[in-house]
Amino acid sequence: MSIRITPLIDPQTTPSSRRLAWLATLPAGTPAGSAFLRLFLKAGQDHLAELDVHVHPAERRKGVGSLLLGAALEAARQEGRRRVIAQAEPGSAAEAFLSAHGFRTVLTLTYARLPLARASLDDLDAIVRGAHPGYRLISWDGVVPDELARTFAASRRAMDDMPMDDTDFGTVSWDVDRVREAALAVGKRGDFLHTVAAVAESDGSIVGFTELVVPGDGKGDAQHYGTGVLPEHRGHGLARWMKAEAIRQARERYPYLEGLLTDTADSNRPMRAVNDALGYLPTHKMATLQLDL
């Protein structure tokens, strides 16, 4: 059977990445599958590409996926990429397909959900009111206020040592412009970004933060983005403190919000312990697989 692989123009271009796309069709022109290759553009990640391949169930095990994968990997090489990553559920056919083509598992994430109806406001208030000598909490909506922009951007290095196991995800450098750009992107698509931060009383600098993105209609599930504490300020319970305040605000401000979603590397035991203590329930796992070109 002859499968045609056609490159497509993908309009999804952002300041940090662009995508290449391919469509696989049968001789009669019927779509059989697709592939997307996201090329990261920022310095520190311009060696990396992210792959996403889908084949119609009726056309699997007929070579469609391999042809799409071949087209994507050739493009990655032409773009000078050294690593290609992809996601798959552990034990799935997708993981087996990627492994058979040379990918290796480098990271496993546990996804978890907090049903907001089960989050006790009294318990959250008790955590938020707990003593954390030398620190205080602040929060804002959307783009960081100008007077906090520089210290917030500096605090993003708290994510630099986030456990990524063997994933060569590169380095992400954050400055004021990038912080603002990320917040504006959330607002542009109609969602709400809420940030809770921990501030050191000694100098007024931000030493930790947690971000929550709420759907524009205030319903369904919200998504936790980054949560981090600078290394020199760890061990004081700041992550649990900040996250409890974020949950408390979500419960009070969005009466129709049903849950909060998060994902954590299996090797990140401290953050997993925080999520467990706050009532997050594991829902599924996802593996990141990597191919070294």
Side-chain angles (χ1 to χ4, degrees):
M1 180 174 61
S2 177
I3 305 295
R4 182 179 180 183
I5 306 297
T6 304
L8 303 177
I9 297 175
D10 190 315
Q12 284 201 8
T13 297
T14 72
S16 59
S17 69
R18 62 184 177 91
R19 286 203 316 179
L20 305 178
W22 295 265
L23 177 67
T25 54
L26 303 178
T30 306
S34 61
F36 294 92
L37 188 71
R38 182 172 298 281
L39 303 169
F40 295 93
L41 304 177
K42 294 284 188 179
Q45 287 192 304
D46 52 7
H47 68 290
L48 185 66
E50 185 174 26
L51 174 71
D52 190 13
V53 176
H54 295 277
V55 177
H56 190 284
E59 305 304 331
R60 291 174 183 166
R61 301 186 182 278
K62 298 179 181 179
V64 177
S66 295
L67 289 173
L68 287 167
L69 176 63
L73 294 182
E74 178 58 28
R77 292 186 179 94
Q78 291 180 4
E79 293 283 346
R81 304 295 152 145
R82 300 192 308 275
R83 307 282 188 273
V84 177
I85 58 173
Q87 279 72 46
E89 291 190 23
S92 67
E95 183 187 46
F97 169 78
L98 291 167
S99 297
H101 286 84
F103 285 76
R104 59 189 176 90
T105 299
V106 291
L107 176 70
T108 302
L109 298 175
T110 292
Y111 287 72
R113 180 178 183 271
L114 174 67
L116 275 180
R118 294 184 48 179
S120 166
L121 281 173
D122 289 340
D123 291 346
L124 293 170
D125 285 340
I127 296 172
V128 172
R129 290 197 304 267
H132 293 78
Y135 301 96
R136 59 184 170 88
L137 292 181
I138 61 173
S139 61
W140 64 85
D141 299 335
V143 178
V144 61
D146 290 346
E147 65 274 14
L148 297 172
R150 290 191 179 280
T151 182
F152 180 52
S155 76
R156 303 292 306 203
R157 69 177 174 85
M159 306 294 288
D160 288 351
D161 61 350
M162 179 177 64
M164 295 297 289
D165 296 354
D166 291 333
T167 311
D168 184 8
F169 206 69
T171 57
V172 179
S173 299
W174 289 87
D175 56 20
V176 171
D177 288 341
R178 184 162 188 174
V179 164
R180 289 173 174 153
E181 177 185 289
L184 288 171
V186 173
K188 185 177 294 186
R189 65 173 187 253
D191 295 335
F192 302 107
L193 172 63
H194 304 291
T195 305
V196 175
V199 173
E201 297 279 13
S202 58
D203 60 5
S205 64
I206 292 176
V207 300
F209 63 90
T210 187
E211 299 167 309
L212 183 68
V213 174
V214 178
D217 60 3
K219 300 178 181 179
D221 290 341
Q223 177 70 56
H224 284 286
Y225 275 30
T227 298
V229 177
L230 291 173
E232 58 269 31
H233 294 276
R234 293 171 188 167
H236 301 285
L238 300 184
R240 179 169 174 261
W241 191 30
M242 295 185 300
K243 217 160 187 178
E245 173 62 7
I247 299 167
R248 188 193 67 78
Q249 289 187 18
R251 278 218 55 183
E252 289 189 343
R253 299 176 63 175
Y254 297 97
Y256 300 108
L257 198 60
E258 297 174 7
L260 306 182
L261 305 176
T262 190
D263 58 86
T264 310
D266 280 4
S267 58
N268 191 351
R269 295 180 180 177
M271 187 55 67
R272 288 179 60 194
V274 167
N275 292 335
D276 291 345
L278 291 171
Y280 288 80
L281 304 174
T283 58
H284 64 286
K285 290 181 180 288
M286 190 67 70
T288 295
L289 295 94
Q290 180 175 290
L291 178 68
D292 302 330
L293 295 179

